Amino acid sequence: EDQVTQSPEALRLQEGESSSLNCSYTVSGLRGLFWYRQDPGKGPEFLFTLYSAGEEKEKERLKATLTKKESFLHITAPKPEDSATYLCAVQAGGQNFVFGPGTRLSVLP
Amino acid sequence: NAGVTQTPKFQVLKTGQSMTLQCAQDMNHNSMYWYRQDPGMGLRLIYYSASEGTTDKGEVPNGYNVSRLNKREFSLRLESAAPSQTSVYFCASSEQVWGTEAFFGQGTRLTVV
């Protein structure tokens, strides 16, 4: 069964303190790995798509990387406005999007 | 540029009542989805429509029906609401069903009492 796990469940950082979020997956035939950001009371907002191991994408303070078993979302010098829940999702084989449970990020000023 | 629009935003139903959640997208996407999001459970797929005229079950379809009215609109119907259907419902759309990112609406918070 396809599974997606994320760690840590919650993360508190000081403003400017860089860190990484992890998304691990056990799927066969990966079609894509997707990162989303979700603010309270809002729908998920698309960030990145990664298709193959070794691929990297960047946007402002965020950088997503992909290996054969996991993806990392690196946050460099975060600001309070980066506080949100970060979700990853995979598409593989005949399965549609399978979402992980998310990582709740809090960035303190 | 509205993206994905869901109505209503909030709804309270009594057990046994029926209702339809509406979703429309203006991005000319082929595929549309309905998810529910519950604390500790993450986003779970209820139904999806790969293209106009087709619908398929997702992970948790029981108690729901869907209609792909046209390319823009995809509705979710609860025929006889149950307290277990209390959740936040999200509609999403993507250009194709495989390998392209999905864009989400703002959600409908449904409470069944």
Side-chain angles (χ1 to χ4, degrees):
Chain A
E1 182 181 320
D2 296 341
Q3 282 203 322
V4 180
T5 59
Q6 293 186 246
S7 62
E9 184 176 325
L11 181 62
R12 298 182 81 178
L13 299 174
Q14 289 295 133
E15 184 172 2
E17 180 186 2
S18 302
S19 188
S20 297
L21 313 183
N22 176 265
C23 172
S24 295
Y25 59 93
T26 54
V27 301
S28 54
L30 182 71
R31 292 175 180 260
L33 185 140
F34 306 85
W35 281 99
Y36 288 86
R37 168 196 171 122
Q38 187 174 24
D39 294 300
K42 301 284 184 66
E45 175 188 345
F46 170 71
L47 294 173
F48 302 109
T49 307
L50 301 166
Y51 292 105
S52 56
E55 191 174 358
E56 299 182 352
K57 294 273 180 75
E58 280 189 76
K59 179 181 178 180
E60 296 180 355
R61 295 178 293 282
L62 300 178
K63 179 179 177 180
T65 61
L66 181 65
T67 71
K68 287 187 176 180
K69 294 293 185 186
E70 59 191 350
S71 177
F72 291 94
L73 184 65
H74 307 279
I75 304 177
T76 302
K79 297 182 178 182
E81 54 260 42
D82 294 322
S83 297
T85 296
Y86 290 84
L87 305 170
C88 75
V90 299
Q91 273 192 337
Q95 296 288 328
N96 219 311
F97 293 100
V98 177
F99 279 83
T103 293
R104 285 194 318 278
L105 175 66
S106 300
V107 182
L108 307 176
Chain B
N1 189 5
V4 178
T5 302
Q6 293 182 233
T7 54
K9 287 186 170 49
F10 301 94
Q11 184 72 47
V12 178
L13 288 180
K14 293 183 179 179
T15 298
Q17 285 185 318
S18 63
M19 79 161 295
T20 300
L21 280 64
Q22 307 286 353
C23 174
Q25 52 92 8
D26 63 1
M27 295 174 282
N28 200 37
H29 284 169
N30 289 301
S31 305
M32 298 185 73
Y33 314 83
W34 277 105
Y35 286 88
R36 60 178 290 173
Q37 187 173 39
D38 303 290
M41 301 293 290
L43 281 157
R44 292 182 292 168
L45 184 64
I46 304 171
Y47 272 93
Y48 70 100
S49 170
S51 60
E52 187 178 356
T54 69
T55 60
D56 285 289
K57 295 178 181 179
E59 182 185 354
V60 288
N62 290 345
Y64 305 95
N65 286 299
V66 290
S67 295
R68 183 75 183 266
L69 304 170
N70 49 55
K71 190 171 185 179
R72 290 186 63 248
E73 298 173 288
F74 188 38
S75 63
L76 178 72
R77 183 161 179 84
L78 286 70
E79 291 291 352
S80 179
S84 61
Q85 294 178 305
T86 294
S87 186
V88 181
Y89 291 85
F90 289 101
C91 176
S93 70
S94 64
E95 189 173 333
Q96 301 293 340
V97 70
W98 302 119
T100 60
E101 58 273 15
F103 294 88
F104 285 77
Q106 292 299 294
T108 296
R109 186 172 296 274
L110 175 67
T111 302
V112 183
V113 298

